[in-house]
């Protein structure tokens, strides 16, 4: 008698349960749903890309062995990944080879062929059927040019960015190197250039990566058994891009192998008239631990510095943010904030969001008094009591998540994790009740908070990378 889908999956789970720690099992395997089984091909549905990547990185051996045992040597596994689309519905397309190029939110199906080599399975860039056009740009629509307020502090980057977006790779601004201290709008402007480029040139492949992601992908490619070919795949992948944006390039300091690879990618793209955009927290000449030949290339095009916006620009930024949030601020309040919070734009934005949250929580209007009270607490931070909004701002900063996203309902992986971590620290470092924590962390209910606390506890046990980030954030509260 042939086994049905659920019996098969149950059998797989039994085997997996015996081979992974209990916590890891409940975090990573319980949420999986079996969705189809035919002709030796088992399709399982995972909640997100992140899940898929995590399973692939940490549990591929167990999964592989399990599938062999339960389905036999011919057995194959296919993941169906729930995309972050608005309806939150899983979408399943049966064949990975189906032309998905014109679907707006294409479902991802990744098929593992166990007859093939390990590299093929592990290598994120050699997914069967992936076409150039399928490369996700990683751009956040909120970071568009319309939302970017221009002042003397950022005009060069803005104007050059517009020129680059019209004519990528064909202006003198190649590479374009944008630098400033943290929180001045580098990520925003370089993403805006990416979005603008796509408007003018929908056919082009634009890719935004943070240099930490770039580094991690490179290291993963090197870890594979036949590292040569997967390293080549890594390089080829990046050489396919028309507009490559690498944010926070300073994280590649003291990483000579990654720098060497970037050097080759750089040369190839430059020679084929593709556009490169980098951001950094300092000018090229001051980056420590960076190969000289890379530094000299960074200087080839345009270096645009961004500085702290003057008070007028800060006012305009506040008005724009408030407008985007659907909130009206009096001139008095705008002036007060712009004059008192002048460390950087991120802090100012963080302050505004806390102010809005505070006023909606207490159902009070945003008055000048409320703003003054909060500025007191925000600015006079010696002996600062740890507040949930402080926790949120630190978590968002470390995780590179915008606070604007934090308070939306987006389920993007990094935003969800930022909310969960904030809840975790709020529980640990404040006296707030679970209800209050939920309310302040994006209007979540009590049950969501409990679930988040559990998830974070699991992740801290099972995911070293996650623990590292959490520890780094926690250092701010101790
Ligand atoms: P950086 O990458 O330099 O650390 P970000 O781009 O992350 O800074 O900016 C921090 C926050 O400030 C973002 O939410 C961004 O939208 C906002 N911001 C910075 N500069 C501007 C600007 N000129 N106009 C509108 N928003 C800005
Ligand atoms: Mg940034």
């Amino acid at each position: 008698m042939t086994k049905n889908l659920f019996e098969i999956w149950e059998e797989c789970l039994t085997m997996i349960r015996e081979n992974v720690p209990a916590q890891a099992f409940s975090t990573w395997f319980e949420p999986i749903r079996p969705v189809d089984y035919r002709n030796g091909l088992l399709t399982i549905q995972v909640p997100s890309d992140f899940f898929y990547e995590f399973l692939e990185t940490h549990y591929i051996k167990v999964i592989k062995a399990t599938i062999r045992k339960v389905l036999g040597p011919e057995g194959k596994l296919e993941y169906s990944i729930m995309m972050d689309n608005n309806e939150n519905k899983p979408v399943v397309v049966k064949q990975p080879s189906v032309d998905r190029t014109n679907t707006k939110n294409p479902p991802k199906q990744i098929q593992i062929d166990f007859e093939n080599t390990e590299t093929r399975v592990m290598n994120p860039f050699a997914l069967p059927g992936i076409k150039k056009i399928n490369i996700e740009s990683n751009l956040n629509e909120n970071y568009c040019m319309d939302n970017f307020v221009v002042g003397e502090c950022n005009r060069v980057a803005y104007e050059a960015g517009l020129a680059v977006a019209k004519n990528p790779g064909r202006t003198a601004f190649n590479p374009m190197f944008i630098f400033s201290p943290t929180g001045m709008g580098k990520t925003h402007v370089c993403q805006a250039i990416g979005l603008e480029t796509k408007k003018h040139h929908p056919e082009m492949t634009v890719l935004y990566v943070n240099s930490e992601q770039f580094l991690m992908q490179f290291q993963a490619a090197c870890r594979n058994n036949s590292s040569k070919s997967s390293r080549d795949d890594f390089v080829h992948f990046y050489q396919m891009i028309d507009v490559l944006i690498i944010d926070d390039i300073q994280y590649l300091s003291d990483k000579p192998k990654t720098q060497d690879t970037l050097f080759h990618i750089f040369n190839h793209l430059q020679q084929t008239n593709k556009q490169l955009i980098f951001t950094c927290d300092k000018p090229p000449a001051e980056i420590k631990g960076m190969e000289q030949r890379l530094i000299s290339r960074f200087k080839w095009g345009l270096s645009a510095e961004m500085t702290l916006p003057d008070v007028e620009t800060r006012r305009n930024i506040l008005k724009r943010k408030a407008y985007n949030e659907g909130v009206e601020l009096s001139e008095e309040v705008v002036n007060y904030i712009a004059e008192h919070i002048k460390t950087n734009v991120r802090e100012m934005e963080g302050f505004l969001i806390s102010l809005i949250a505070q006023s909606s929580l207490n159902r009070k209007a945003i008055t000048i008094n409320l703003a003054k009270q909060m500025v007191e607490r925000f600015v006079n931070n010696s002996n600062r009591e740890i507040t949930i909004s402080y926790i949120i701002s630190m978590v968002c900063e470390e995780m590179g998540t915008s606070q604007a996203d934090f308070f939306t309902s987006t389920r993007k992986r990094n935003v969800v994790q930022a909310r969960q971590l904030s809840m975790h620290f709020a529980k640990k470092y404040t006296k707030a009740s679970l209800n209050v924590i939920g309310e302040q962390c994006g209007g979540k209910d009590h049950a969501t908070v409990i679930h988040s606390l559990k998830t974070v506890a699991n992740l801290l046990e099972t995911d070293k990378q996650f623990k590292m980030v959490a520890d780094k954030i926690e250092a701010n509260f101790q």
Side-chain angles (χ1 to χ4, degrees):
M1 201 184 82
T2 48
K3 286 177 270 189
N4 75 26
L5 170 67
F6 294 98
E7 286 165 338
I8 287 172
W9 183 237
E10 215 22 72
E11 221 176 294
C12 293
L13 285 182
T14 308
M15 217 184 130
I16 294 168
R17 196 182 280 115
E18 283 166 13
N19 289 289
V20 304
Q23 261 178 342
F25 181 82
S26 69
T27 310
W28 300 109
F29 292 94
E30 277 177 2
I32 299 177
R33 299 280 162 262
V35 287
D36 194 24
Y37 175 68
R38 65 186 76 176
N39 307 327
L41 173 66
L42 173 66
T43 307
I44 57 174
Q45 182 187 296
V46 295
S48 66
D49 254 343
F50 176 56
F51 239 84
Y52 158 72
E53 281 164 25
F54 198 93
L55 288 170
E56 283 289 277
T57 325
H58 295 81
Y59 299 110
I60 186 65
K61 283 215 176 91
V62 177
I63 296 174
K64 210 167 149 176
T66 305
I67 295 296
R68 278 240 167 83
K69 177 110 190 274
V70 177
L71 300 181
E74 302 290 304
K76 284 188 183 152
L77 178 70
E78 183 179 68
Y79 295 91
S80 159
I81 300 171
M82 279 171 81
M83 299 304 279
D84 197 6
N85 59 354
N86 292 337
E87 298 123 57
N88 288 332
K89 279 192 223 136
V91 218
V92 180
V93 161
K94 289 299 167 201
Q95 291 302 323
S97 54
V98 166
D99 183 4
R100 299 176 250 134
T101 48
N102 14 354
T103 329
K104 201 166 160 252
N105 249 328
K108 248 193 213 167
Q109 291 237 334
I110 293 157
Q111 194 170 340
I112 296 185
D113 182 350
F114 289 120
E115 296 309 300
N116 251 306
T117 56
E118 179 105 20
T119 22
R120 169 113 180 250
V121 175
M122 298 293 289
N123 179 358
F125 304 118
L127 299 176
I130 197 159
K131 295 200 188 106
K132 190 174 167 188
I133 199 136
N134 284 109
I135 294 170
E136 171 60 50
S137 290
N138 275 332
L139 294 167
N140 178 342
E141 301 281 334
N142 293 325
Y143 287 153
C144 58
M145 286 294 187
D146 282 349
N147 284 341
F148 191 75
V149 175
V150 189
E152 284 321 304
C153 53
N154 54 31
R155 191 174 305 281
V156 176
Y158 173 81
E159 298 284 351
L162 289 181
V164 162
K166 275 203 193 117
N167 258 324
R170 309 256 167 206
T171 67
F173 312 143
N174 197 18
M176 179 166 176
F177 190 97
I178 304 165
F179 67 95
S180 82
T182 186
M184 303 290 177
K186 295 181 295 294
T187 299
H188 188 143
V189 81
C190 73
Q191 293 225 8
I193 300 171
L195 290 167
E196 198 68 15
T197 307
K198 286 178 71 162
K199 254 199 235 160
H200 293 296
H201 305 278
E203 76 292 354
M204 285 193 180
T205 308
V206 177
L207 180 72
Y208 166 90
V209 279
N210 186 287
S211 72
E212 279 177 310
Q213 287 168 299
F214 183 84
L215 178 69
M216 268 159 53
Q217 290 171 352
F218 176 71
Q219 289 172 341
C222 293
R223 261 201 306 275
N224 281 340
N225 294 342
S226 59
S227 52
K228 176 78 176 74
S229 77
S230 57
R231 223 170 32 224
D232 289 349
D233 286 343
F234 176 88
V235 173
H236 290 152
F237 173 82
Y238 277 96
Q239 288 179 341
M240 288 194 307
I241 309 296
D242 297 311
V243 177
L244 176 60
I245 306 166
I246 306 189
D247 201 1
D248 286 324
I249 199 83
Q250 71 272 10
Y251 293 125
L252 298 189
S253 284
D254 298 323
K255 305 283 177 209
K257 282 195 211 127
T258 317
Q259 289 176 23
D260 185 56
T261 304
L262 174 61
F263 179 75
H264 291 295
I265 293 169
F266 185 111
N267 287 343
H268 179 92
L269 293 179
Q270 178 94 28
Q271 278 156 18
T272 47
N273 288 325
K274 304 296 169 63
Q275 179 71 41
L276 289 135
I277 300 169
F278 299 102
T279 78
C280 188
D281 64 354
K282 43 183 101 55
E286 288 174 24
I287 316 174
K288 301 252 155 47
M290 189 71 75
E291 277 189 47
Q292 209 46 49
R293 54 185 189 162
L294 260 181
I295 292 193
S296 84
R297 273 166 177 73
F298 291 155
K299 295 192 215 158
W300 274 359
L302 170 83
S303 293
E305 179 171 15
M306 305 216 307
T307 52
L308 180 70
D310 55 50
V311 69
E312 183 56 35
T313 313
R314 293 209 293 279
R315 268 190 226 126
N316 291 338
I317 293 176
L318 278 169
K319 286 184 195 159
R320 156 61 60 176
K321 300 276 171 201
Y323 174 82
N324 284 351
E325 298 295 324
V327 174
E328 260 186 65
L329 292 183
S330 68
E331 283 291 318
E332 201 185 5
V333 170
V334 169
N335 290 344
Y336 191 82
I337 303 174
E339 274 155 23
H340 285 82
I341 306 214
K342 40 193 170 191
T343 36
N344 66 51
V345 184
R346 182 180 297 117
E347 286 236 336
M348 196 173 73
E349 183 176 3
F351 177 82
L352 177 65
I353 304 272
S354 323
L355 188 65
I356 295 171
Q358 228 10 271
S359 93
S360 65
L361 222 57
N362 305 333
R363 297 180 215 294
K364 280 193 207 149
I366 301 182
T367 56
I368 184 75
N369 277 341
L370 182 62
K372 279 183 181 166
Q373 266 174 23
M374 287 195 54
V375 165
E376 287 275 287
R377 273 192 275 155
F378 207 81
V379 178
N380 302 334
N381 57 3
S382 51
N383 261 337
R384 143 157 62 188
E385 184 199 340
I386 295 172
T387 60
I388 298 182
S389 49
Y390 176 64
I391 290 173
I392 294 172
S393 69
M394 292 324 289
V395 170
C396 287
E397 167 135 19
E398 283 293 340
M399 298 189 67
T401 312
S402 85
Q403 288 203 40
D405 277 354
F406 188 98
F407 293 99
T408 63
S409 57
T410 178
R411 294 176 58 234
K412 277 188 217 145
R413 168 191 141 199
N414 63 332
V415 183
V416 170
Q417 283 204 336
R419 280 191 213 112
Q420 292 176 334
L421 254 184
S422 301
M423 293 179 193
H424 166 81
F425 289 128
K427 175 85 180 50
K428 195 161 168 187
Y429 289 100
T430 73
K431 295 198 184 80
S433 68
L434 297 185
N435 280 329
V436 170
I437 294 176
E439 229 171 302
Q440 295 204 27
C441 293
K444 306 292 173 199
D445 60 16
H446 178 263
T448 309
V449 180
I450 293 181
H451 173 77
S452 302
L453 296 176
K454 237 171 82 182
T455 309
V456 171
N458 280 339
L459 282 170
L460 289 174
E461 289 253 329
T462 53
D463 183 343
K464 278 202 196 114
Q465 181 75 29
F466 182 86
K467 173 134 185 16
M468 232 169 61
V469 175
D471 286 349
K472 203 166 152 204
I473 299 170
E474 190 159 14
N476 291 296
F477 311 135
Q478 289 164 341

